[in-house]
Amino acid sequence: MDEEISQTFGRLDTLVLNASGGLERDADPGYALRLNRDAQMKLATAMLPLMPEGGRIVFVTSHQAHFIHENDDVPTGYTPIARSKRAGEDALRALMPEFRERGVGFAVVSGDMIDGTIIVRLLERRDPDSVEARRAAGPLPTVEDFARVIVRAGTEAAADGHTYFVGGDDYLAAGSRRSGYPVRL
């Protein structure tokens, strides 16, 4: 992939890391960590040489993963995925000095359950009460809402390591009281 990008475009301005997995049937116990941490790290480090100064890496995660250390309200069966996504975020944050050395920014986009995504459909099968509880708290953001924030994270000048939040105002307010995290911009 890096060769194709290099030959076709000469550079990569923005890398969005949006993989997520682990709820699939018959997935082995290490699958979520390999996908949500290891693959994200490998891709970021492989693409970094193609990124010019001013480029951005954006890591996409969920509120359940981002706040896993402060929140015990994680849907049944999602805890291993949330932990693996948080491990991916932490591992990428640890690479921020290397990103900065190359002049590449890093941002995180954390979202509530996103209406219309496969993860919500899978959770509705496994733990319908968790999805209903999120819907009862307020309307779930749409894929379009989430996409707009990902574009912002990849294009606007924000502090390196900044986290953008999408949806879940009630969740974020509780999280900010517990952990000092800011509420959504």
Side-chain angles (χ1 to χ4, degrees), residues 11-22:
R11 69 179 200 217
L12 178 64
D13 295 320
T14 305
L15 174 63
V16 177
L17 300 168
N18 190 32
S20 183

Side-chain angles (χ1 to χ4, degrees), residues 5-45:
I5 292 169
S6 180
Q7 290 173 6
T8 304
F9 303 104
R11 69 179 200 217
L12 178 64
D13 295 320
T14 305
L15 174 63
V16 177
L17 300 168
N18 190 32
S20 183
L23 283 175
E24 299 83 356
R25 288 180 204 200
D26 302 322
D28 71 81
Y31 173 72
L33 196 57
R34 286 193 312 274
L35 180 64
N36 299 325
R37 183 196 62 196
D38 301 347
Q40 308 304 297
M41 294 285 297
K42 287 178 185 176
L43 187 57
T45 56

Side-chain angles (χ1 to χ4, degrees), residues 60-94:
V60 177
T61 191
S62 66
H63 292 339
Q64 291 84 8
H66 183 73
F67 290 108
I68 188 74
H69 302 302
E70 295 87 20
N71 180 29
D72 58 3
D73 186 26
V74 178
T76 303
Y78 190 73
T79 300
I81 292 92
R83 286 191 176 139
S84 69
K85 290 285 285 184
R86 184 59 207 215
E89 179 180 340
D90 292 344
L92 287 160
R93 286 185 183 279

Side-chain angles (χ1 to χ4, degrees), residues 34-170:
R34 286 193 312 274
L35 180 64
N36 299 325
R37 183 196 62 196
D38 301 347
Q40 308 304 297
M41 294 285 297
K42 287 178 185 176
L43 187 57
T45 56
M47 295 299 136
L48 193 56
L50 293 174
M51 300 187 78
E53 189 169 327
R56 300 280 290 174
I57 297 173
V58 179
F59 180 72
V60 177
T61 191
S62 66
H63 292 339
Q64 291 84 8
H66 183 73
F67 290 108
I68 188 74
H69 302 302
E70 295 87 20
N71 180 29
D72 58 3
D73 186 26
V74 178
T76 303
Y78 190 73
T79 300
I81 292 92
R83 286 191 176 139
S84 69
K85 290 285 285 184
R86 184 59 207 215
E89 179 180 340
D90 292 344
L92 287 160
R93 286 185 183 279
L95 288 177
M96 286 174 55
E98 186 177 341
F99 300 159
R100 280 189 200 112
E101 188 175 294
R102 293 182 171 268
V104 173
F106 176 74
V108 173
V109 176
S110 177
D112 196 356
M113 291 181 186
I114 308 298
D115 216 6
T117 61
I118 187 67
I119 201 77
V120 171
R121 289 193 300 270
L122 290 171
L123 282 171
E124 284 175 326
R125 284 188 227 151
R126 285 191 175 195
D127 186 5
D129 292 341
S130 67
V131 177
E132 186 52 41
R134 293 307 314 138
R135 289 186 194 283
L140 297 180
T142 65
V143 172
E144 291 80 11
D145 297 330
F146 206 54
R148 277 192 288 281
V149 177
I150 291 169
V151 168
R152 279 183 55 206
T155 58
E156 77 179 10
D160 203 25
H162 182 72
T163 301
Y164 294 81
F165 297 103
V166 183
D169 290 340
D170 63 313

